[in-house]
Amino acid sequence: MCKGGEFDLSFESLTSHATRQALRELPTTDPEFFAEISQPRSCAHVAPALSPEQEALEDDPPDDELTDDSDVPFLEVCAHHHESLNPSLPPLDTTHVYIPNETGGLTSTATAEDTLVESVDGVVVDVTPQEDTLPSHRSKRNCRRNVLYSKEWWVDNRGDDGNEEEDNNDEYME
Amino acid sequence: MKLREARLPLTLVTIRGLLIAHLEHFAPKIFTTPSHDGTLFRCSEVFVRKFIKRSLNWTIRASTRAGRKFPKNSDDILRKAALRIAYVIKHEDIPSGLVANSDQTQVVLAQGSDVTYAPVNSNQVATIGSEEKRAFTVLVTLTNDGLLLPFQSIHKGSTSGSLPSKDAKSMPEAIAAEFLFESSKTTTYWSTQETMRHFVDTILAPHFEKVKKTLGLPLAQCSLWLIDCWSVHRSKEFLTWIGLHHTTIIVIFVPAGLTGLFQPCDVGFQRLCKHSLKISAHDDFVQEVLGQLKNGVSVSDVVIDTTLRVLRNRTVNWLWVAFKALNKPEVVKKVRNLILYIYHICSQLCRPGECVKAVNLTSLLRV
């Protein structure tokens, strides 16, 4: 829905009590704007004043329109589009096969579209995910060196009853 | 590969059409055999991208959609625009049926993203596609009470030879619906002073007069026409002409740069219209190839006609199908659930390329 602040372009909104109240308050809230819109209407229309950048944008807009994949059914696009315009309405129970892609258009996520087996240059290529060959109970964590006992507190005690101080300062572990 | 060598413009839609036609002819069961999650194969664009990448090493240039930047004070601008419209409606006592919005949109003849290919062991990437965009424009008009006025289609050229032929499919229906097919008489296909004036004289003003008569309103009753700030619209020449020849039509402009937020045709209509056109274009392509295969033409001898004349003639049916599908004032709002019901039915029956049939069912509804 086309929004204009707290209003929208539905006839109900444009003629609502809230809109007309805002119009009644305009002489005090925005007298300059009220003077602009309330001036007597002449038959000479006045074009809005645009900056050069705005003129360029209006006369050559970028091609950034939202497009949906051609396989998406028309009614699906309708349902999705109107849902996006009317988020307050309860969502339709769609198939959920088509979801918005990175550009915002709908694209298929159906399993039927997965290309798992195909012929490439005469060779059949099967990319069906294979089952893991490792026993299910075996941990798949990578082994790493035990570093729990690498601190200096592990004292070399090779039976030398010599200098106790030297014994305490030796580094036993690497 | 022959298509590439023939330098034909290839798009995702046309390649999908080729694949579907061949599968329909040689392996139709592929479309009716459900996968383990219950979905049916439709040869989606997702599938086509993966398939041609793996099989032909072609890549589809994905369309990018740059995020539009709106001014920081866009909320305030739009609020004022809404109040301006509300003031005019209140001051002139304009009913819903006399409020309209028109917007021109470009329609390319080759629907879909262009294809690029990178041969193996090559650093060169070539784009298959004409540098000159073959397209036309359609002027779409919506009224506030949900009515879609007849389309005005504008083609580049200066003579009637640049227009769809009179025997094009659905041309009688389009003419009966008062569609306009016009030459721009310039080197582009965008509206001109002449085409805009012709539109107002032939479609917009007569519609307003008809509504006034229906509602028992005087001829002096004013109407409101919301248009964007495009060059011809904001030109002094056009506005002066409107002021002189259609004194009861009040023109209000959509704030510059904010058509994506405030122009009803942009916000609520163009996406649906463009999608309908794309589906119709795809369907034509499938039928063209399938017809040849069914007539015994071998796969390598299938000829695809992409001449401007043929594509231009097909656009008449594209527009007619879109018009029928979308010219339903309350069909989506009031019968959402019914449309969804029909969709579920059709999704079980609809084959790739036959989605237009599902759309035609909605035209049987009367709200």
Side-chain angles (χ1 to χ4, degrees):
Chain A
M1 184 68 72
C2 298
K3 293 275 188 187
E6 66 267 40
F7 315 116
D8 59 57
L9 289 187
S10 68
F11 199 73
E12 293 74 22
S13 177
L14 291 171
T15 56
S16 67
H17 173 78
T19 304
R20 298 204 167 170
Q21 180 65 23
L23 289 174
R24 282 190 286 271
E25 292 171 354
L26 265 184
T28 50
T29 57
D30 196 341
E32 188 177 335
F33 179 59
F34 180 74
E36 180 187 330
I37 64 174
S38 61
Q39 59 185 334
R41 187 180 75 85
S42 66
C43 293
H45 299 279
V46 179
L50 301 185
S51 66
E53 292 77 21
Q54 288 176 320
E55 286 187 2
L57 187 63
E58 290 296 316
D59 295 344
D60 189 20
D63 184 16
D64 60 351
E65 292 174 342
L66 188 151
T67 56
D68 305 281
D69 287 358
S70 59
D71 56 289
V72 181
F74 179 74
L75 293 179
E76 187 83 21
V77 175
C78 284
H80 183 268
H81 188 60
H82 284 278
E83 253 186 51
S84 65
L85 294 180
N86 301 285
S88 59
L89 295 174
L92 295 173
D93 184 22
T94 58
T95 61
H96 302 291
V97 170
Y98 300 98
I99 62 172
N101 56 32
E102 60 273 8
T103 63
L106 294 180
T107 194
S108 174
T109 61
T111 304
E113 308 294 339
D114 286 339
T115 54
L116 300 178
V117 182
E118 41 182 298
S119 173
V120 181
D121 293 334
V123 177
V124 175
V125 177
D126 186 347
V127 294
T128 305
Q130 299 297 316
E131 290 183 5
D132 200 336
T133 54
L134 289 175
S136 59
H137 63 274
R138 182 170 177 174
S139 171
K140 295 180 184 177
R141 188 180 65 184
N142 292 330
C143 294
R144 61 175 185 168
R145 184 169 166 274
N146 190 326
V147 296
L148 291 176
Y149 308 106
S150 60
K151 301 296 182 184
E152 293 181 9
W153 62 272
W154 187 257
V155 179
D156 184 5
N157 190 18
R158 285 172 283 188
D160 183 0
D161 293 329
N163 194 337
E164 186 176 337
E165 187 177 329
E166 287 179 2
D167 289 339
N168 290 335
N169 288 337
D170 278 346
E171 289 187 9
Y172 190 76
M173 299 296 290
E174 293 179 4
Chain B
M1 302 302 281
K2 286 182 71 175
L3 292 174
R4 186 186 71 189
E5 291 163 2
R7 305 296 298 174
L8 284 175
L10 285 176
T11 68
L12 198 58
V13 173
T14 54
I15 294 175
R16 179 172 174 251
L18 274 171
L19 287 175
I20 287 174
H22 282 80
L23 291 171
E24 275 271 2
H25 185 70
F26 294 106
K29 286 188 178 179
I30 197 173
F31 296 114
T32 56
T33 306
S35 67
H36 64 266
D37 70 342
T39 55
L40 294 174
F41 177 69
R42 298 177 61 86
C43 196
S44 67
E45 290 194 6
V46 172
F47 170 85
V48 174
R49 285 177 192 270
K50 294 178 191 174
F51 177 78
I52 65 174
K53 174 63 179 172
R54 289 177 183 172
S55 305
L56 301 173
N57 203 27
W58 291 7
T59 55
I60 301 290
R61 184 171 61 211
S63 59
T64 55
R65 190 161 175 256
R68 287 193 181 185
K69 293 182 181 178
F70 299 116
K72 291 181 182 178
N73 62 338
S74 58
D75 279 348
D76 183 54
I77 294 173
L78 294 178
R79 184 177 186 275
K80 284 185 175 176
L83 285 175
R84 184 189 298 272
I85 295 172
Y87 180 86
V88 171
I89 287 175
K90 175 175 177 289
H91 192 262
E92 302 288 343
D93 201 14
I94 299 177
S96 176
L98 291 180
V99 178
N101 167 231
S102 295
D103 180 40
Q104 190 176 27
T105 187
Q106 176 185 267
V107 181
V108 293
L109 297 181
Q111 295 277 335
S113 305
D114 284 343
V115 174
T116 60
Y117 72 96
V120 177
N121 298 325
S122 170
N123 293 325
Q124 290 181 326
V125 176
T127 300
I128 302 175
S130 173
E131 290 301 324
E132 180 188 351
K133 192 182 286 186
R134 297 197 295 175
F136 66 105
T137 58
V138 178
L139 186 64
V140 172
T141 304
L142 295 176
T143 64
N144 191 274
D145 58 352
L147 198 61
L148 175 61
L149 299 193
F151 291 149
Q152 182 192 38
S153 162
I154 301 172
H155 297 261
K156 183 173 68 172
S158 54
T159 67
S160 60
S162 59
L163 301 177
S165 63
K166 293 181 181 178
D167 57 356
K169 185 181 178 185
S170 300
M171 180 61 90
E173 293 90 338
I175 295 296
E178 299 177 356
F179 282 23
L180 291 180
F181 296 94
E182 304 196 61
S183 301
S184 66
K185 296 180 184 173
T186 65
T187 55
T188 73
Y189 37 69
W190 295 97
S191 289
T192 61
Q193 292 284 340
E194 187 178 339
T195 62
M196 284 304 301
R197 292 180 191 187
H198 193 219
F199 162 76
V200 175
D201 284 338
T202 311
I203 294 179
L204 186 67
H207 172 73
F208 283 154
E209 298 310 308
K210 184 179 169 185
V211 172
K212 290 178 198 176
K213 192 176 178 182
T214 303
L215 298 178
L217 296 170
L219 293 179
Q221 168 68 51
C222 286
S223 310
L224 195 153
W225 188 30
L226 186 66
I227 51 177
D228 59 28
C229 297
W230 188 56
S231 58
V232 172
H233 296 168
R234 67 176 191 265
S235 67
K236 187 177 178 182
E237 183 181 352
F238 181 66
L239 293 177
T240 302
W241 177 85
I242 282 271
L244 285 174
H245 295 87
H246 297 280
T247 56
T248 59
I249 296 180
I250 300 173
V251 176
I252 290 185
F253 289 93
V254 176
L258 296 173
T259 54
L261 296 177
F262 202 73
Q263 178 155 248
C265 285
D266 266 338
V267 175
F269 184 82
Q270 299 294 16
R271 178 186 179 185
L272 307 180
C273 182
K274 289 281 182 79
H275 193 64
S276 174
L277 297 177
K278 183 187 281 191
I279 290 176
S280 295
H282 164 79
D283 191 43
D284 281 341
F285 199 77
V286 170
Q287 297 307 320
E288 180 184 11
V289 176
L290 198 56
Q292 294 180 56
L293 292 175
K294 286 181 177 177
N295 285 337
V297 176
S298 67
V299 171
S300 57
D301 292 333
V302 166
V303 174
I304 300 169
D305 193 343
T306 59
T307 55
L308 186 60
R309 181 184 59 82
V310 167
L311 293 180
R312 195 165 49 209
N313 284 346
R314 287 178 180 171
T315 63
V316 178
N317 186 55
W318 300 357
L319 293 176
W320 174 240
V321 169
F323 185 78
K324 282 193 304 179
L326 294 163
N327 190 21
K328 294 288 178 262
E330 300 294 333
V331 68
V332 177
K333 283 191 288 186
K334 289 188 178 178
V335 295
R336 285 164 52 239
N337 293 332
L338 185 55
I339 284 181
L340 182 61
Y341 173 74
I342 290 174
Y343 164 71
H344 280 304
I345 296 292
C346 291
S347 64
Q348 301 303 315
L349 303 172
C350 195
R351 287 192 171 192
E354 292 184 353
C355 293
V356 175
K357 292 183 183 177
V359 170
N360 288 337
L361 286 176
T362 63
S363 68
L364 299 177
L365 298 175
R366 288 293 179 265
V367 178

